[in-house]
CSV table of all heavy atoms in Angstrom, one decimal:
chain,number,residue,atom,x,y,z
A,74,ARG,N,-33.4,41.7,83.6
A,74,ARG,CA,-32.9,40.6,84.4
A,74,ARG,C,-32.8,41.0,85.8
A,74,ARG,O,-31.9,40.5,86.7
A,74,ARG,CB,-31.7,40.0,83.7
A,74,ARG,CG,-32.0,39.1,82.6
A,74,ARG,CD,-30.9,39.0,81.6
A,74,ARG,NE,-31.4,38.3,80.4
A,74,ARG,CZ,-32.0,38.7,79.4
A,74,ARG,NH1,-32.3,40.0,79.4
A,74,ARG,NH2,-32.5,38.1,78.4
A,75,GLY,N,-33.4,42.1,86.2
A,75,GLY,CA,-33.4,42.6,87.6
A,75,GLY,C,-32.2,43.3,87.9
A,75,GLY,O,-31.8,43.5,89.2
A,76,GLN,N,-31.3,43.7,87.1
A,76,GLN,CA,-30.0,44.4,87.4
A,76,GLN,C,-30.1,45.9,87.0
A,76,GLN,O,-30.2,46.3,85.8
A,76,GLN,CB,-28.8,43.8,86.7
A,76,GLN,CG,-28.6,42.3,86.8
A,76,GLN,CD,-28.2,42.1,88.3
A,76,GLN,OE1,-27.6,42.7,88.9
A,76,GLN,NE2,-28.8,40.9,88.7
A,77,LYS,N,-30.3,46.7,88.1
A,77,LYS,CA,-30.4,48.1,87.8
A,77,LYS,C,-29.1,48.7,87.7
A,77,LYS,O,-28.1,48.6,88.5
A,77,LYS,CB,-31.2,48.8,89.0
A,77,LYS,CG,-32.6,49.2,88.7
A,77,LYS,CD,-33.0,50.2,89.6
A,77,LYS,CE,-34.2,50.9,89.0
A,77,LYS,NZ,-35.0,51.6,90.0
A,78,GLN,N,-28.8,49.3,86.5
A,78,GLN,CA,-27.5,49.9,86.3
A,78,GLN,C,-27.8,51.2,85.6
A,78,GLN,O,-28.4,51.3,84.6
A,78,GLN,CB,-26.8,48.9,85.5
A,78,GLN,CG,-25.2,49.3,85.2
A,78,GLN,CD,-24.5,49.2,86.4
A,78,GLN,OE1,-24.7,48.5,87.3
A,78,GLN,NE2,-23.5,50.2,86.4
A,79,GLN,N,-27.0,52.3,86.0
A,79,GLN,CA,-27.1,53.5,85.3
A,79,GLN,C,-26.4,53.6,84.1
A,79,GLN,O,-25.2,53.0,83.9
A,79,GLN,CB,-26.6,54.6,86.2
A,79,GLN,CG,-27.6,55.7,86.4
A,79,GLN,CD,-27.0,56.9,87.1
A,79,GLN,OE1,-25.9,56.7,87.8
A,79,GLN,NE2,-27.5,58.1,87.0
A,80,ARG,N,-26.9,54.1,83.0
A,80,ARG,CA,-26.1,54.2,81.8
A,80,ARG,C,-25.0,55.2,81.8
A,80,ARG,O,-25.3,56.3,82.3
A,80,ARG,CB,-27.1,54.6,80.7
A,80,ARG,CG,-26.5,54.4,79.3
A,80,ARG,CD,-27.2,55.0,78.2
A,80,ARG,NE,-26.1,55.2,77.2
A,80,ARG,CZ,-26.2,55.9,76.1
A,80,ARG,NH1,-27.4,56.6,75.8
A,80,ARG,NH2,-25.2,55.9,75.2
A,81,ILE,N,-23.8,54.9,81.3
A,81,ILE,CA,-22.8,55.9,81.1
A,81,ILE,C,-22.3,55.7,79.8
A,81,ILE,O,-21.8,54.5,79.4
A,81,ILE,CB,-21.8,55.8,82.3
A,81,ILE,CG1,-20.5,56.7,81.8
A,81,ILE,CG2,-21.3,54.4,82.6
A,81,ILE,CD1,-20.2,57.8,82.7
A,82,ALA,N,-22.3,56.7,78.9
A,82,ALA,CA,-21.8,56.5,77.6
A,82,ALA,C,-20.3,56.4,77.6
A,82,ALA,O,-19.7,57.2,78.4
A,82,ALA,CB,-22.3,57.6,76.6
A,83,GLY,N,-19.6,55.6,76.8
A,83,GLY,CA,-18.2,55.4,76.7
A,83,GLY,C,-17.5,56.7,76.6
A,83,GLY,O,-16.5,57.1,77.3
A,84,ILE,N,-18.1,57.6,75.6
A,84,ILE,CA,-17.4,58.8,75.5
A,84,ILE,C,-17.4,59.8,76.6
A,84,ILE,O,-16.5,60.6,76.8
A,84,ILE,CB,-18.0,59.5,74.2
A,84,ILE,CG1,-17.3,60.8,73.8
A,84,ILE,CG2,-19.5,59.9,74.3
A,84,ILE,CD1,-17.6,61.3,72.4
A,85,GLU,N,-18.5,59.7,77.4
A,85,GLU,CA,-18.6,60.6,78.6
A,85,GLU,C,-17.5,60.2,79.7
A,85,GLU,O,-17.0,61.0,80.4
A,85,GLU,CB,-20.0,60.7,79.2
A,85,GLU,CG,-20.8,61.7,78.4
A,85,GLU,CD,-22.4,61.3,78.5
A,85,GLU,OE1,-22.8,60.7,79.4
A,85,GLU,OE2,-23.1,61.7,77.5
A,86,LEU,N,-17.5,58.9,79.8
A,86,LEU,CA,-16.6,58.3,80.8
A,86,LEU,C,-15.2,58.6,80.4
A,86,LEU,O,-14.4,59.2,81.3
A,86,LEU,CB,-16.8,56.7,80.8
A,86,LEU,CG,-15.7,56.0,81.8
A,86,LEU,CD1,-16.2,56.3,83.2
A,86,LEU,CD2,-16.0,54.4,81.6
A,87,ALA,N,-14.8,58.5,79.1
A,87,ALA,CA,-13.4,58.9,78.7
A,87,ALA,C,-13.3,60.4,79.0
A,87,ALA,O,-12.1,60.8,79.4
A,87,ALA,CB,-13.3,58.5,77.2
A,88,ALA,N,-14.2,61.2,78.6
A,88,ALA,CA,-14.1,62.6,78.8
A,88,ALA,C,-13.8,63.0,80.3
A,88,ALA,O,-13.0,63.8,80.6
A,88,ALA,CB,-15.3,63.3,78.3
A,89,SER,N,-14.6,62.3,81.2
A,89,SER,CA,-14.5,62.7,82.6
A,89,SER,C,-13.1,62.2,83.0
A,89,SER,O,-12.5,62.9,84.0
A,89,SER,CB,-15.5,62.1,83.4
A,89,SER,OG,-15.4,60.7,83.3
A,90,LEU,N,-12.5,61.2,82.5
A,90,LEU,CA,-11.2,60.8,82.9
A,90,LEU,C,-10.1,61.8,82.4
A,90,LEU,O,-9.2,62.0,83.1
A,90,LEU,CB,-10.8,59.3,82.4
A,90,LEU,CG,-11.7,58.2,83.1
A,90,LEU,CD1,-11.4,56.9,82.4
A,90,LEU,CD2,-11.5,58.1,84.6
A,91,ILE,N,-10.3,62.2,81.1
A,91,ILE,CA,-9.2,63.1,80.6
A,91,ILE,C,-9.2,64.4,81.5
A,91,ILE,O,-8.2,64.9,81.8
A,91,ILE,CB,-9.7,63.6,79.1
A,91,ILE,CG1,-9.6,62.3,78.2
A,91,ILE,CG2,-8.7,64.6,78.5
A,91,ILE,CD1,-10.3,62.6,76.8
A,92,GLU,N,-10.4,64.8,81.8
A,92,GLU,CA,-10.5,66.0,82.6
A,92,GLU,C,-9.8,65.8,84.0
A,92,GLU,O,-8.9,66.6,84.4
A,92,GLU,CB,-11.9,66.5,82.9
A,92,GLU,CG,-12.2,67.8,83.3
A,92,GLU,CD,-13.5,68.3,82.9
A,92,GLU,OE1,-14.3,67.7,82.1
A,92,GLU,OE2,-13.7,69.5,83.2
A,93,ALA,N,-10.1,64.7,84.7
A,93,ALA,CA,-9.5,64.5,85.9
A,93,ALA,C,-8.1,64.2,85.9
A,93,ALA,O,-7.2,64.7,86.7
A,93,ALA,CB,-10.2,63.3,86.6
A,94,ILE,N,-7.6,63.4,84.9
A,94,ILE,CA,-6.2,62.9,84.9
A,94,ILE,C,-5.3,64.2,84.3
A,94,ILE,O,-4.2,64.4,84.6
A,94,ILE,CB,-6.0,61.7,84.0
A,94,ILE,CG1,-6.9,60.6,84.5
A,94,ILE,CG2,-4.6,61.3,83.9
A,94,ILE,CD1,-6.6,60.2,86.1
A,95,GLY,N,-6.0,64.8,83.2
A,95,GLY,CA,-5.3,66.0,82.6
A,95,GLY,C,-4.9,67.0,83.6
A,95,GLY,O,-3.9,67.7,83.6
A,96,LYS,N,-5.7,67.3,84.6
A,96,LYS,CA,-5.5,68.3,85.6
A,96,LYS,C,-4.2,67.9,86.5
A,96,LYS,O,-3.6,68.8,87.1
A,96,LYS,CB,-6.6,68.4,86.6
A,96,LYS,CG,-7.7,69.2,86.0
A,96,LYS,CD,-8.8,69.4,87.0
A,96,LYS,CE,-10.0,70.2,86.3
A,96,LYS,NZ,-11.3,69.6,86.8
Side-chain angles (χ1 to χ4, degrees):
R74 287 154 183 83
Q76 304 296 319
K77 255 202 158 158
Q78 186 67 36
Q79 230 187 343
R80 188 196 159 192
I81 166 121
I84 185 167
E85 280 157 26
L86 180 63
S89 69
L90 293 177
I91 298 169
E92 198 149 357
I94 303 305
K96 281 186 185 144

